[in-house]
Each structure stands twice: as structure tokens, then as C-alpha cells.
């Protein structure tokens, strides 16, 4: 009762597994499965009506077990739990980490709000030859995360009459400009001008824009931002 007839000439071996299967094969075979040793299925991949089985056997299976057993022992030592509690301990660590990330984000937002208020207190008045007065916060940091710079610019834009011209210098020069609602100023145009002077590019809308440029000296970026509203 062969599953598939052989397609080769010459002697072949018929491998039978009880009454379950019978296959012709010309490869190397063991007399009994016990000669193989440990057999462990390590993965199943379902493809429609077919299932691909990934397994290890013999020495490979034993080494895989030893490696994973060692990992379990190291993790239980780190988490000070028994191996039967390991999954629960990992779930607790994940839940605590999630809560800490949420707390950190909330604390970060509060801190940015405080920083924005401090910067607004020392903001410089805009050019006198404008119909609508506004305050300018122009600041450049070294290696500050672009996302944090953007968040700070948005916090500053929540304060009445404030224009934020912020930058960060590192592997790239990142700029983010924002202005408060009601201020008649197109910060996207200012950003284009700054990026042009620094050899970069960017874009946005009149109230919020960001861009990047090749790395530059902090003093150079400060000079560019200062010159934007000098007239």
C-alpha cells in the first residue's frame, strides 16, 4: 500500500510505520526509531490545506533543549521565581513596564509644559515693524531627540503670542518651527528659508513646520535662526 510509487530503477527500501504509512526510499534508514534519539517538533506552519512541520532530532534536539533549559534557569534566577511561574512573572514585568512608560510619558509632557513656560518668560519680542506683536523663542540643542523638539514647539505654540524656532544638532540638523494661534506669521516659509541656508529641506503648514539638514555647528544654526526675524 505505497503512498506514492517509486520513480527510479533498481533496489529501493520500503519504509513502513506500522499500518500508518509505507514509502519507498533509497536513503539511509535506522532499524528502529529509538536509534534517532530525541525528536522534537519546534514549529508548525499552516499553508492552506497543508502543514509544514519543523523538527529537531538526535543531538540537535538535545542541544536545543539544553540551551532553552539554561535560559529558563537564568530567567527564573533573574526574576526570583520558579520555572512554573515564569510566564506569570513575565506578564507582570510587561504590565509594570507598560505602566511605567505611561507614567513617563505623562511626566515628560508635564516637564515639557514647564520648560515651555520658562522659555516663554525669557522670550524676545519680535521685530518692532510688525502689525501684531509676538514673542520669539529661539533655541538650539545638541543631540536632543527631534520628537521631543517637536513636542516642545507644540507646547510653546499653546501660549498666546509665542513663535518657536527650535533646532537640534547631531548626526543631522533638525528644525521645528511653530506659532501660536492668531499670530500672523508663516513659519513654513521661515523653515524653507532656514533649510535653504543650511542645505536641507522641509515643509509644513503656516502654524507648524519641520525639516532637516546636514550636520552643522550649533553656532551656525543659532545664527541662521536669529537672522530669520532680524528685520
Amino acid at each position: 500500500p505505497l503512498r506514492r510509487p517509486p520513480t527510479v530503477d533498481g533496489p529501493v527500501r520500503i519504509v513502513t510505520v506500522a499500518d500508518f504509512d509505507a514509502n519507498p526510499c533509497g536513503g539511509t534508514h535506522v532499524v528502529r526509531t529509538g536509534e534517532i534519539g530525541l525528536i522534537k517538533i519546534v514549529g508548525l506552519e499552516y499553508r492552506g490545506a497543508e502543514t509544514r512541520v519543523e523538527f529537531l532530532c538526535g543531538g540537535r534536539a538535545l542541544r536545543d533543549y539544553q540551551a532553552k533549559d539554561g535560559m529558563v534557569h537564568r530567567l527564573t534566577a533573574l526574576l526570583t521565581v520558579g520555572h512554573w511561574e515564569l510566564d506569570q512573572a513575565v506578564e507582570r514585568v510587561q504590565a509594570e513596564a507598560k505602566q511605567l512608560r505611561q507614567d513617563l510619558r505623562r511626566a515628560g509632557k508635564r516637564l515639557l509644559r514647564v520648560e515651555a513656560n520658562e522659555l516663554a518668560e525669557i522670550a524676545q519680542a519680535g521685530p518692532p515693524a510688525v502689525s501684531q506683536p509676538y514673542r520669539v523663542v529661539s533655541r538650539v540643542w545638541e543631540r536632543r531627540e527631534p520628537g521631543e523638539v517637536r513636542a516642545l514647539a507644540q507646547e510653546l505654540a499653546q501660549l498666546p503670542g509665542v513663535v518657536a524656532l527650535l533646532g537640534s544638532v547631531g548626526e543631522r540638523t533638525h528644525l521645528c518651527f511653530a506659532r501660536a494661534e492668531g499670530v500672523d506669521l508663516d513659519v513654513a516659509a521661515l523653515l524653507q528659508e532656514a533649510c535653504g541656508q543650511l542645505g536641507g529641506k522641509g515643509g509644513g503648514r503656516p502654524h507648524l513646520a519641520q525639516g532637516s539638514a546636514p550636520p552643522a555647528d550649533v553656532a551656525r544654526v543659532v545664527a541662521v535662526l536669529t537672522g530669520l526675524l532680524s528685520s
Side-chain angles (χ1 to χ4, degrees), residues 14-226:
I14 305 299
V15 181
T16 60
V17 182
D19 296 327
F20 174 74
D21 196 12
N23 271 299
C25 183
T28 303
H29 300 88
V30 295
V31 175
R32 58 184 61 86
T33 54
E35 296 179 28
I36 297 172
L38 181 64
I39 299 176
K40 179 67 174 74
I41 295 175
V42 295
L44 296 174
E45 182 180 350
Y46 301 99
R47 295 186 173 185
E50 296 182 350
T51 302
R52 173 173 291 183
V53 179
E54 182 182 357
F55 68 94
L56 296 171
C57 64
R60 290 193 181 100
L62 178 60
R63 287 190 294 272
D64 181 70
Y65 167 76
Q66 291 171 332
K68 292 175 180 175
D69 184 61
M71 184 184 299
V72 167
H73 281 288
R74 289 191 296 273
L75 290 175
T76 55
L78 286 171
L79 299 173
T80 60
V81 296
H83 67 83
W84 58 90
E85 303 171 298
L86 190 55
D87 56 342
Q88 300 173 19
V90 171
E91 289 174 358
R92 285 197 302 271
V93 170
Q94 288 179 325
E96 290 171 1
K98 181 179 180 180
Q99 184 62 51
L100 288 172
R101 286 193 297 268
Q102 293 174 346
D103 293 344
L104 184 60
R105 281 195 294 268
R106 285 193 290 267
K109 288 181 180 179
R110 289 195 295 269
L111 187 59
L112 284 176
R113 195 169 299 118
V114 170
E115 184 178 3
N117 287 322
E118 291 177 347
L119 289 173
E121 288 178 0
I122 59 175
Q124 298 180 352
V130 294
S131 58
Q132 182 187 44
Y134 54 81
R135 298 173 292 162
V136 180
V137 175
S138 180
R139 184 65 62 91
V140 180
W141 295 271
E142 288 191 38
R143 300 190 178 280
R144 191 165 189 177
E145 287 295 326
E148 191 174 313
V149 174
R150 176 187 171 94
L152 181 57
Q154 291 174 310
E155 284 290 341
L156 285 163
Q158 299 300 313
L159 303 175
V162 171
V163 173
L165 306 178
L166 309 181
S168 174
V169 175
E171 295 181 0
R172 294 277 297 175
T173 299
H174 296 276
L175 301 176
C176 187
F177 296 175
R179 55 111 169 126
E181 184 178 355
V183 176
D184 186 17
L185 188 67
D186 187 349
V187 296
L190 294 177
L191 182 86
Q192 292 286 357
E193 182 179 346
C195 287
Q197 295 184 47
L198 295 169
K201 58 183 180 179
R205 304 179 67 179
H207 69 284
L208 177 65
Q210 59 184 358
S212 67
D217 184 73
V218 172
R220 165 68 175 153
V221 180
V222 169
V224 169
L225 300 191
T226 301

